Amino acid sequence: MFTEKRYNRLKWACRRGMLELDVLFLPFVEEAFSDLDAEKQETFERLLTCDDPDLFAWFMGHQKCDDPELAEMVKIILDRVKV
């Protein structure tokens, strides 16, 4: 369960050094995070611990994420943006 403090830390972690990632993560956490089940919320939190160059490569399609859970979360976020 995400407490308000943990959720606020998560929102802070969404602020990256790259605009391309910021425009994906912050709207996602504000608008869709609460709709995820607990397991996917944990996966999203883990995704935010990854390095920005890896995240950029995964989200821009330059590289495939080897972790299946993280790859699924990348897909969820990208699918939401395409809608």
Side-chain angles (χ1 to χ4, degrees):
M1 183 72 176
F2 275 76
T3 63
E4 183 176 347
K5 184 177 180 179
R6 188 174 176 192
Y7 176 75
N8 287 336
R9 272 190 267 135
L10 188 71
K11 279 180 67 173
W12 182 257
C14 287
R15 297 175 48 140
R16 312 302 283 203
M18 302 176 90
L19 178 62
E20 295 87 351
L21 298 176
D22 289 348
V23 299
L24 290 171
F25 290 149
L26 197 54
F28 180 82
V29 79
E30 290 176 342
E31 300 166 8
F33 180 77
S34 61
D35 295 335
L36 298 174
D37 62 34
E39 183 180 326
K40 295 234 183 325
Q41 288 179 343
E42 296 283 339
T43 302
F44 180 74
E45 187 175 38
R46 190 163 60 89
L47 180 71
L48 294 178
T49 67
C50 297
D51 293 330
D52 284 357
D54 291 331
L55 292 169
F56 181 81
W58 299 337
F59 279 98
M60 298 303 129
H62 301 285
Q63 187 178 337
K64 186 174 185 279
C65 178
D66 293 333
D67 182 309
E69 289 178 345
L70 294 181
E72 181 183 6
M73 184 54 58
V74 168
K75 183 179 178 334
I76 289 169
I77 294 168
L78 288 175
D79 287 348
R80 184 181 176 283
V81 171
K82 291 177 185 173
V83 173

